[in-house]
Amino acid sequence: MSFYIGHEAPKLWRRICAETTIEINLLAENWKYILGGLIFQYIHGLGARGVHYLHRPGPTLQDAGYFLLPELGSDNAYISETVFTTIFLSFILWTFHPFIFKTKKIYTVLIWCRVLAFLVACQFLRMITFYSTQLPGPNYHCREGSKLATLPRPDSVLEVLLLNFPRGLLYGCGDLIFSSHMIFSLVFVRTYQKYGTRRFIKQCAWIAVIAQSFLIVASRKHYTVDVVVAWYTVNLVVFFVDKKLPELPDRSSAASLLPVSKDSKTKEENHKLLNGNTDPEDWRPRTQINGMIMEDGSAVHVEAAVNGVYRQ
């Protein structure tokens, strides 16, 4: 075992370095999209913080899900957050797997450009809806009698801009329709459904999202309408935005993204590392049809993005 690790370690390091070179080049081309998406995450948090100042606690609205699902109680509300955190962290780890594993179908920078585009579109619609009408929050800390249900007027603009992180985000009220947890979960699962390769993981991911939908209602974090609206809004938004975005380039175009090197042998080795192959006879393109990764790896001619770079 020790001999195997010692033999493979240099190869793994070369693969990481080669992948990093590619991702840096892609980041230089697409940093504006990444930065814009991250900035909007802050804007979305700012909007959620702002609506909390407008929130007025009141009687919990009549809800079909509350009749059907027993209340978990404040002591068990963490179950819903645990499922969400598992989905969230698992997806992040998957997007960075090309740096480590040989079987690579995506570029990390390009997949996050796509994911952030989905998130921004959904979160923009969400901000419009929860500012249109403020509903009394059903969560335990948003009900009448709770000190966290309302926020006093801020003493300064800085108090609003800092979002009281992370407490202000964890104990927000008023940002209900539609569920932010469902936005992230559905965007992540749909993205893996299209670009992931493990059918079993895809099935488990959809089961986890469905379970989370029920848990959100059972933990009284949202009304049932917040979850229902999220299901069809996020799926429709992702469907239409995805049609407008250029398709991700195939991994077989990795050689065109490598820096020019006088050492052709080194460049060939880097191509093998990036393509997930170590033997020349196994050096074959990793293809996809309409953005769908083929489970059996069968080769079909597809049109790659111009120069293999994600552009709008």
Side-chain angles (χ1 to χ4, degrees), residues 45 47-57 73-75 77-78 81 126 137-143 146-152 163-176 181 219-222:
R49 175 69 172 175
V51 80
H52 196 169
Y53 288 102
L54 304 176
H55 177 256
R56 295 295 178 267
S74 57
D75 294 336
Y78 70 91
E81 288 298 322
R126 180 175 188 259
N139 211 335
Y140 309 108
H141 63 269
C142 298
R143 298 174 184 176
S146 173
K147 295 181 180 180
L148 300 174
T150 58
L151 291 178
L163 305 179
N164 190 23
F165 185 84
R167 185 178 179 83
L169 299 180
L170 295 176
Y171 295 97
C173 298
D175 56 327
L176 294 174
H181 284 58
S219 61
R220 304 305 189 250
K221 295 181 183 298
H222 282 276

Side-chain angles (χ1 to χ4, degrees), residues 5-71:
I5 294 176
H7 177 72
E8 289 292 325
K11 187 182 300 182
L12 175 61
W13 175 246
R14 293 198 305 270
R15 184 160 61 243
I16 293 175
C17 292
E19 193 71 33
T20 301
T21 301
I22 295 296
E23 295 292 346
I24 290 176
N25 291 336
L26 291 173
L27 184 61
E29 292 281 346
N30 301 280
W31 67 270
K32 294 180 180 179
Y33 307 120
I34 297 290
L35 181 61
L38 294 177
I39 290 175
F40 195 85
Q41 298 309 301
Y42 170 75
I43 295 174
H44 175 258
L46 195 64
R49 175 69 172 175
V51 80
H52 196 169
Y53 288 102
L54 304 176
H55 177 256
R56 295 295 178 267
T60 303
L61 302 179
Q62 181 172 323
D63 189 282
Y66 292 178
F67 286 110
L68 298 175
L69 297 175
E71 189 171 354

Side-chain angles (χ1 to χ4, degrees), residues 229-285:
V229 171
W231 266 97
Y232 61 75
T233 302
V234 175
N235 280 291
L236 288 174
V237 168
V238 171
F239 175 79
F240 285 108
V241 173
D242 189 56
K243 294 294 184 181
K244 299 296 182 180
L245 296 177
E247 191 48 73
L248 295 185
D250 193 350
R251 288 295 308 200
S252 60
S253 62
S256 64
L257 301 180
L258 284 170
V260 178
S261 174
K262 295 181 180 180
D263 190 347
S264 59
K265 182 178 180 181
T266 302
K267 186 172 182 179
E268 180 180 341
E269 290 178 353
N270 287 338
H271 189 287
K272 294 177 182 178
L273 291 170
L274 288 168
N275 201 33
N277 303 308
T278 56
D279 299 324
E281 60 269 16
D282 193 35
W283 187 0
R284 61 184 182 276

Side-chain angles (χ1 to χ4, degrees), residues 149-193:
T150 58
L151 291 178
R153 293 179 63 86
D155 297 329
S156 64
V157 176
L158 187 61
E159 181 181 339
V160 179
L161 296 178
L162 292 179
L163 305 179
N164 190 23
F165 185 84
R167 185 178 179 83
L169 299 180
L170 295 176
Y171 295 97
C173 298
D175 56 327
L176 294 174
I177 300 177
F178 41 96
S179 171
S180 180
H181 284 58
M182 292 303 300
I183 290 178
F184 281 93
S185 298
L186 286 170
V187 166
F188 290 168
V189 173
R190 280 188 61 99
T191 302
Y192 187 81
Q193 176 68 34

